[in-house]
Amino acid sequence: MTLAERDRQSIWHPYTQHKNMTPPIPIVRGEKTLLFDEYGNSYIDAISSWWVNIHGHAHPSIARKIFEQASTLEHVIFTGFTHEPAVRLAERLLKILPGDFSKIFYSDNGSTAVEVAIKMSIQYWRNTEPEKNNKPSRNKILAFRHAYHGDTFGAMSVSDRSIFTAAFDDYLFEVVFIDTPTSSNITSLKQKIGEYKNEIACFIYEPLLQAAGGMRMYEAVMLDELLAFIKSQDIICIGDEVMTGFGRTGKLFAGEYMQHKADIICLSKGLTGGSLAMGITASSQKIFDAFLSDDKSKTFFHGHSYTANPIACAAALASLDLTEGEDCKNQIQDIIHHHKNFIDQFARENKDNITFRNIRQLGTIIAFEIDKGDDSYLNNISAVITLQALRKGIYLRPLGNTVYLMPPYCINEEELEKVYVFLKSLTRIV
Ligand SMILES: *Cc1c(COP(=O)(O)O)cnc(C)c1O
């Protein structure tokens, strides 16, 4: 049996309708931007393997640090014990995170980082404010429409109700949803939030880019104004930088674009350079202090078996070394520059072509809609484009009719050009 046939017998894939599915491609090796299949074909990983890979595949320095750490201390329970990789990673992140953070809480992925942030916020109010009529004083959560924060129940609850959550909507807790801010709606957004005075525990947001919700971009100045208002209401602000962290938007963190900073920040995806699963929730001193007490019920009762896994911490440290290096900063600026030239030209060439809509860029990310069929994640154009791209040696996975490009930073000019040529050819394909 081929690997694809064995896969068919034993594997259930994520976000995959197995009925009539195209068999998955067995990948045997990765190097820089390229993935190699068992026949030796190569594919440019133009979406960084679901946005996690920032420095390229099988990066030698990350691999070496993983090996060294695995041969020294692979894991240890993180209550009552600590270790150098966890402490060093925390110290380094606290110095560079956008805002006044003083503690790092480790977990396993982006969804758990979000769960932790929500639980910290809810319990913060329980620990600090007396209950009213046996209810927490602040029991509402604020989030954006079209948000995506992960697939566990808390993370789903603060995500927009969509095809992803439909089967579970009855089981998700209630959330106040607002639109992302624009100059025309900002006043009404503030008014709506104001109506819930002293009821909202926290506000969770993906700064500048709602990625899984369709690569929706919105303006930093508007978010900054909204954050200023929300913070004036004493609402805890949770910046979900699971996707925007580590250089994606052109700055190290998207939070750097705003003057008003988050109180809690969630990280994952690029954290280990795409090598190992890890989530981080950073909190301000004020939030941490609310859990300090002689009353044991105020403890934060949350943890995962693999909390602060030393190998993942070592991978994250190695990835951070690369991210902070001059080479990487230059690579990011080069991609931004090439993307800009490309979309200027692409938009100009297609100004009378109604096939492409809303061509946009944020840092290393380009996105646009294809005007065919519904604006929906279920639009079949996605599968058509993926297949055509694979034939050209490129891996793309549009979100329905939203095509986007989010390459590892080490992508070279030639590879970028190849992807641009393919995107231009979509006029003929769709
Ligand atoms: C992907 C993503 C998550 C969930 O992360 P997982 O590691 O897939 O659980 C949360 N928030 C944002 C903004 C994301 O893009």
Side-chain angles (χ1 to χ4, degrees), residues 51 109-112 114 148-151 206 211-212 240-243 268-269:
W51 323 341
N109 55 63
S111 302
T112 56
V114 167
Y148 175 83
H149 296 289
D151 287 347
E206 296 159 90
D240 179 353
E241 295 228 27
V242 167
M243 195 253 109
S268 186
K269 295 211 163 103

Side-chain angles (χ1 to χ4, degrees), residues 93-331:
L93 286 173
L94 290 172
K95 284 203 190 94
I96 56 174
L97 287 174
D100 199 5
F101 298 101
S102 48
K103 291 287 185 285
I104 296 289
F105 190 96
Y106 287 104
S107 65
D108 299 344
N109 55 63
S111 302
T112 56
V114 167
E115 296 287 335
V116 166
I118 297 167
K119 287 175 73 173
M120 277 178 181
S121 306
I122 292 173
Q123 196 179 338
Y124 169 89
W125 291 109
R126 184 188 162 92
N127 285 0
T128 55
E129 286 203 353
E131 300 186 352
K132 289 178 202 146
N133 314 322
N134 274 333
K135 275 196 174 146
S137 58
R138 293 191 182 226
N139 61 359
K140 293 198 164 45
I141 293 178
L142 185 67
F144 281 138
R145 289 205 182 88
H146 302 293
Y148 175 83
H149 296 289
D151 287 347
T152 51
F153 269 85
M156 273 198 295
S157 294
V158 293
S159 301
D160 202 359
R161 302 296 174 263
S162 72
I163 178 97
F164 301 163
T165 65
F168 317 103
D169 283 357
D170 288 349
Y171 302 86
L172 303 182
F173 57 73
E174 240 181 87
V175 168
V176 178
F177 286 106
I178 54 171
D179 287 327
T180 48
T182 61
S183 50
S184 49
N185 72 6
I186 185 89
T187 311
S188 69
L189 294 184
K190 289 181 193 170
Q191 201 177 353
K192 177 161 180 187
I193 298 163
E195 284 167 17
Y196 294 101
K197 197 155 182 61
N198 300 332
E199 285 181 71
I200 298 174
C202 62
F203 165 54
I204 183 163
Y205 59 102
E206 296 159 90
L208 310 188
L209 176 69
Q210 298 184 292
M215 294 297 154
R216 291 160 182 269
M217 298 170 188
Y218 64 104
E219 278 179 54
V221 278
M222 299 321 302
L223 177 58
D224 205 20
E225 187 176 338
L226 189 69
L227 284 174
F229 179 77
I230 290 176
K231 289 179 84 86
S232 77
Q233 306 286 300
D234 280 332
I235 294 167
I236 296 171
C237 292
I238 305 171
D240 179 353
E241 295 228 27
V242 167
M243 195 253 109
T244 49
F246 304 100
R248 270 293 166 212
T249 67
K251 292 193 191 276
L252 195 49
F253 297 99
E256 293 172 28
Y257 289 92
M258 277 73 64
Q259 273 170 17
H260 296 87
K261 308 293 190 195
D263 306 294
I264 297 180
I265 196 164
C266 304
L267 305 171
S268 186
K269 295 211 163 103
L271 175 59
T272 63
S275 62
L276 284 163
M278 177 146 97
I280 276 181
T281 309
S283 94
S284 65
Q285 188 68 40
K286 182 176 157 190
I287 288 167
F288 178 77
D289 284 347
F291 292 75
L292 287 179
S293 174
D294 293 324
D295 174 357
K296 291 236 165 60
S297 74
K298 294 194 172 178
T299 307
F300 189 51
F301 293 110
H302 188 106
H304 298 277
S305 318
Y306 284 96
T307 296
N309 176 257
I311 306 174
C313 291
L317 285 163
S319 178
L320 200 52
D321 286 342
L322 296 169
T323 310
E324 290 185 321
E326 282 309 307
D327 283 354
C328 180
K329 286 180 187 155
N330 293 336
Q331 286 168 342

